[in-house]
Amino acid sequence: SNYLRHAFSEPSRNLPGTFAGAMSNYLRHACVAAVFGQTLFAHGAVDARTAGYVPDDSTRFCLPAAPQAGRMVDSVSEWVDALNGLLERGLADHAARPEWDAERATRGGEVLLALQNRDAMWGRSIVSNSYADGGCITTESAARVREAALADAEARADPSAFAAVASDPLDAGVAAWLIRG
């Protein structure tokens, strides 16, 4: 639509090679994650699947047949830096290649489209993973539902199955990683 084209891709008269839409401006000033003092801020859930995981720049926005490439980092600060670097590189890639290619197979910044999508990230989206879609998230019943959904998603080898997976807010391994910094 014209609105989306303006929001994301309206060429800037003042900054050649960049875009001036409201969403582009927001993303240029955004962070995927940030640490203030001893507090980590992220849009989605930090869980055993996302903590320390950084998608590869080549990550596609698709329904992959298997998990896409990525790497693990050791510390919270390294992870935050790597995710925000991914955002910067994705925005630069979008500025260089804002339109789909002739085969409509890929476009610049595709990694950022994937980053916000549980399916494309095979359940490892720091942006869209969540602790709950409602209800009390710390009960034994919630834990059983969470564990069953994750087991089902992994057994089916279907990236769409991760939509039913909620993250564990009481994961001791994640808490220890966060405390180590």
Side-chain angles (χ1 to χ4, degrees):
S1 78
N2 287 336
Y3 171 75
L4 287 177
R5 179 168 296 281
H6 177 73
F8 286 97
S9 301
E10 187 66 25
S12 171
R13 293 185 185 108
N14 299 323
L15 301 169
T18 65
F19 298 93
M23 185 59 73
S24 294
N25 190 45
Y26 168 78
L27 289 172
R28 277 195 306 276
H29 293 90
C31 293
V32 176
V35 175
F36 292 94
Q38 294 183 328
T39 304
L40 170 67
F41 291 86
H43 184 275
V46 180
D47 61 20
R49 300 182 64 75
T50 59
Y53 178 74
V54 181
D56 190 80
D57 288 15
S58 66
T59 300
R60 302 287 312 278
F61 181 52
C62 64
L63 283 173
Q68 299 189 68
R71 64 187 171 95
M72 296 300 293
V73 298
D74 294 325
S75 72
V76 173
S77 60
E78 185 181 3
W79 182 61
V80 167
D81 289 345
L83 288 174
N84 291 327
L86 181 73
L87 173 62
E88 290 177 16
R89 291 187 306 278
L91 291 172
D93 187 32
H94 180 263
R97 304 179 306 124
E99 303 295 332
W100 288 99
D101 65 9
E103 294 80 31
R104 195 162 168 74
T106 188
R107 65 181 290 176
E110 195 170 353
V111 65
L112 301 180
L113 295 172
L115 185 63
Q116 58 77 42
N117 185 275
R118 288 186 204 184
D119 296 358
M121 296 304 303
W122 205 266
R124 292 182 126 175
S125 173
I126 186 57
V127 177
S128 64
N129 281 15
S130 65
Y131 292 112
D133 292 326
C136 182
I137 61 176
T138 56
T139 64
E140 289 181 20
S141 174
R144 285 192 299 275
V145 168
R146 188 171 43 249
E147 290 163 8
L150 181 57
D152 178 61
E154 290 174 341
R156 288 177 36 200
D158 174 5
S160 296
F162 287 98
V165 176
S167 301
D168 183 357
L170 301 176
D171 187 309
V174 173
W177 181 77
L178 290 167
I179 290 168
R180 278 194 313 272

